[in-house]
């Protein structure tokens, strides 16, 4: 790969085509859940979904995405980033077309899981390729800013675009939009990125046992809380899920410590730049997922707003994300990567805290929360990812990108799972019902407050870990 921006017209054109394709991948990743969130009440009513069912309509994607990211990061490093990405984009298009035939909640969850597999195949290689196009921090920040901008625009525009689309089209259209996005990404990557060079690949065998144990740990950990709420502590299934989580987690750690070619070299996680970047990214993912999910339910279920009104309510987030794009580079240059990561992730967590404490008192507080999250997310995705990739050897860039997205997606899945579990535990009856009693309205408001503050505490703890590890990196450099 080249280490500076290519100068010949043909090469420069290919570089921009490649970045367009990589940006489309990130657009899909961030647009997918955000555009669907605003449709959850509509989906709940049309498919007669339970609270847990709605949770897994969004959670299935994140669980599978996060659970398989490390595996496909390893696969991409060994078999070629471009090849794996193209295969994932084909799978994404096919899975998205399947949405047109969905008639039950279970079918929609299955489709979402397949889309999660496609996302795990495409995402790690996209950041790795963008990072390796350039050899300086400044150029790398610019490249990752381009593709992160596409993703953040998708995250912000998703609820607004989804709400407006629901006014004139069925909810299935919100997932069918992935078909042309996948096609655009496929064309851009195939035309703008050269075929994989065998010399750039990692040649150790894939740790299949580690992949199975790691994925199992993630899935069991996210499913078990729901089992406790749905079946109660008197049932054997939740306790079996807890035991399976612990056993799989211990098995994964032992396997990675003893394997000749581990799926995840645990020593990499101990590197200060890597661990701090992952902690910041996870904090932001947790906060963004929790806020998006809770705001959607608050506006439409509790306050009775139609999807279009809820979509308009999300517009300030779009405006802030788009307007602040040019400030990212100068801000990072002025304060440095480490401080920028801390400040931006702290802003995201503060936004979630504002919603948890004051969101029930009016839209003005929700507006403040949305703006804080938008300001923080505009920066944290770029600087946290750059720090992680900067701290790893080049032969591990796909794995590094996988770690970045795994931390974010796992945090997203945990945020949705925790929120859904708290709602299921505290809200009685069908959340998709249009005639809540006064008691149910009170239960919902209490559940939203508890969920928001719980997620804020976890996200704040992650920011503290990131700050501590970043200071360790600075000390080591001195």
């Amino acid at each position: 790969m080249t280490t500076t921006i290519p100068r010949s017209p043909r090469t420069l054109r290919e570089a921009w085509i490649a970045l367009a394709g990589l940006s489309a991948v990130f657009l899909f990743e961030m647009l997918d859940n955000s555009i669907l969130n605003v449709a959850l009440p509509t989906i709940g009513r049309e498919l007669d979904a339970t609270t847990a069912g709605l949770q897994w309509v969004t959670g299935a994607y994140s669980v599978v995405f996060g659970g398989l990211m490390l595996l496909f990061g390893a696969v991409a490093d060994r078999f070629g980033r471009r090849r794996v990405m193209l295969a994932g984009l084909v799978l994404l298009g096919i899975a998205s077309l399947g949405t047109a035939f969905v008639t039950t909640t279970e079918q929609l969850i299955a489709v979402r899981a397949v889309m999660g597999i496609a996302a795990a195949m495409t995402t790690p290689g996209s950041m790795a390729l963008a990072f390796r196009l350039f050899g300086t921090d400044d150029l790398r920040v610019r490249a990752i800013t381009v593709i992160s901008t596409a993703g953040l625009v998708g995250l912000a525009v998703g609820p607004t675009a989804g709400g407006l689309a629901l006014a004139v089209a069925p909810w299935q259209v919100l997932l069918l939009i992935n078909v042309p996005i996948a096609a655009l990404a496929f064309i851009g990557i195939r035309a703008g990125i050269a075929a994989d060079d065998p010399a750039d690949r990692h040649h150790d065998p894939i740790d299949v046992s580690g992949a199975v144990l790691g994925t199992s740990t993630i899935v069991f950990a996210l499913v078990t809380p729901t089992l406790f709420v749905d079946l109660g502590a008197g049932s054997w299934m939740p306790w079996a899920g807890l035991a399976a989580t612990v056993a799989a987690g211990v098995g994964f750690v032992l396997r990675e410590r003893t394997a000749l070619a581990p799926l995840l070299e645990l020593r990499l996680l101990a590197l200060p730049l890597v661990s701090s970047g992952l902690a910041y990214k996870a904090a932001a993912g947790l906060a963004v997922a929790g806020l998006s999910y809770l705001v959607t339910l608050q506006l439409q279920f509790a306050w009775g707003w139609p999807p279009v009104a809820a979509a308009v309510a999300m517009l300030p987030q779009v405006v802030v994300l788009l307007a602040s794009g040019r400030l990212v580079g100068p801000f990072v240059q002025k304060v440095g990567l480490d401080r920028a990561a801390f400040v931006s992730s702290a802003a995201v967590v503060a936004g979630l805290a504002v919603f948890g404490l004051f969101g029930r008192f009016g839209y003005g507080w929700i507006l403040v929360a949305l703006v804080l999250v938008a300001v923080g997310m505009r920066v944290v995705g770029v600087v946290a990812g750059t720090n992680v990739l900067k701290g790893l050897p080049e032969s591990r860039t796909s794995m590094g990108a996988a770690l970045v997205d795994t931390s974010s997606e796992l945090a997203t899945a945990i945020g949705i799972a925790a929120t859904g579990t708290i709602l299921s535990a505290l809200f009685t009856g069908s959340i998709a019902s249009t005639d809540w009693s006064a008691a149910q309205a009170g239960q919902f408001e209490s559940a939203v407050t508890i969920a928001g503050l719980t997620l804020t505490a976890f996200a704040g703890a992650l920011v503290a870990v990131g700050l501590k590890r970043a200071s360790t990196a600075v000390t080591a450099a001195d």
Side-chain angles (χ1 to χ4, degrees), residues 14-105:
E14 289 178 348
W16 281 109
I17 292 174
L19 276 177
L22 297 173
S23 299
V25 172
F26 267 68
L27 176 63
F28 146 67
E29 178 194 344
M30 302 298 284
L31 180 68
D32 195 76
N33 262 343
S34 69
I35 198 172
L36 195 64
N37 276 340
V38 74
L40 289 178
T42 302
I43 294 172
R45 296 182 183 111
E46 289 193 10
L47 300 183
D48 194 24
T50 64
T51 303
L54 285 180
Q55 169 192 332
W56 286 109
V57 165
T58 54
Y61 170 83
S62 296
V63 168
V64 174
F65 187 4
L68 294 177
M69 191 93 67
L70 291 177
L71 172 61
F72 281 112
V75 170
D77 276 337
R78 289 159 174 80
F79 294 96
R81 301 170 183 88
R82 179 177 181 268
R83 181 181 300 169
V84 173
M85 288 180 69
L86 293 177
L89 289 169
V90 172
L91 179 61
L92 169 63
I94 295 173
S96 300
L97 285 173
T99 307
F101 305 99
V102 165
T103 58
T104 67
T105 305

Side-chain angles (χ1 to χ4, degrees), residues 260-359:
L260 295 177
L263 177 71
L264 173 61
E265 296 178 59
L266 298 179
R267 65 177 180 83
L268 298 179
L269 298 179
L271 297 174
L273 277 179
V274 175
S275 55
S276 65
L278 294 179
Y280 289 138
K281 188 69 173 178
L286 189 71
V288 170
L291 182 66
S292 178
Y293 190 75
L294 290 170
V295 166
T296 296
L297 299 184
Q298 178 80 33
L299 295 179
Q300 296 190 58
F301 279 149
W303 295 352
W305 290 21
V308 172
V312 173
M314 303 297 285
L315 275 176
Q317 192 174 50
V318 180
V319 173
V320 172
L321 280 172
L322 294 179
S324 60
R326 293 189 177 184
L327 302 177
V328 175
F331 175 69
V332 172
Q333 289 181 347
K334 182 176 181 179
V335 305
L337 285 170
D338 295 330
R339 186 172 297 176
F342 167 69
V343 172
S344 56
S345 58
V348 174
V349 175
L352 180 59
V354 168
F355 175 80
L357 291 170
F358 308 111

Side-chain angles (χ1 to χ4, degrees), residues 122-134:
T122 56
T123 303
S126 59
M127 183 178 290
L129 287 170
F131 181 84
R132 292 184 64 190
L133 282 172
F134 309 103

Side-chain angles (χ1 to χ4, degrees), residues 74-219:
V75 170
D77 276 337
R78 289 159 174 80
F79 294 96
R81 301 170 183 88
R82 179 177 181 268
R83 181 181 300 169
V84 173
M85 288 180 69
L86 293 177
L89 289 169
V90 172
L91 179 61
L92 169 63
I94 295 173
S96 300
L97 285 173
T99 307
F101 305 99
V102 165
T103 58
T104 67
T105 305
E106 293 74 18
Q107 291 174 355
L108 180 56
I109 292 173
V111 167
R112 299 284 293 150
V114 175
M115 293 173 69
I117 296 173
M121 296 174 69
T122 56
T123 303
S126 59
M127 183 178 290
L129 287 170
F131 181 84
R132 292 184 64 190
L133 282 172
F134 309 103
T136 66
D137 285 345
D138 181 51
L139 294 178
R140 285 168 171 170
V141 167
R142 292 183 190 180
I144 296 179
T145 297
V146 170
I147 61 175
S148 295
T149 297
L152 291 175
V153 168
L155 178 69
V157 172
T160 302
L164 297 176
L166 286 175
V168 296
W171 63 265
Q172 288 87 344
V173 171
L174 304 185
L175 294 181
L176 289 171
I177 192 64
N178 286 326
V179 177
I181 293 176
L184 172 63
F186 187 96
I187 293 171
I189 291 168
R190 185 172 177 81
I193 297 178
D196 300 297
D197 185 351
D200 290 335
R201 299 178 191 171
H202 185 46
H203 299 289
D204 289 341
I206 295 177
D207 180 16
V208 176
S209 298
V212 172
L213 288 169
T215 301
S216 299
T217 302
I218 293 167
V219 173

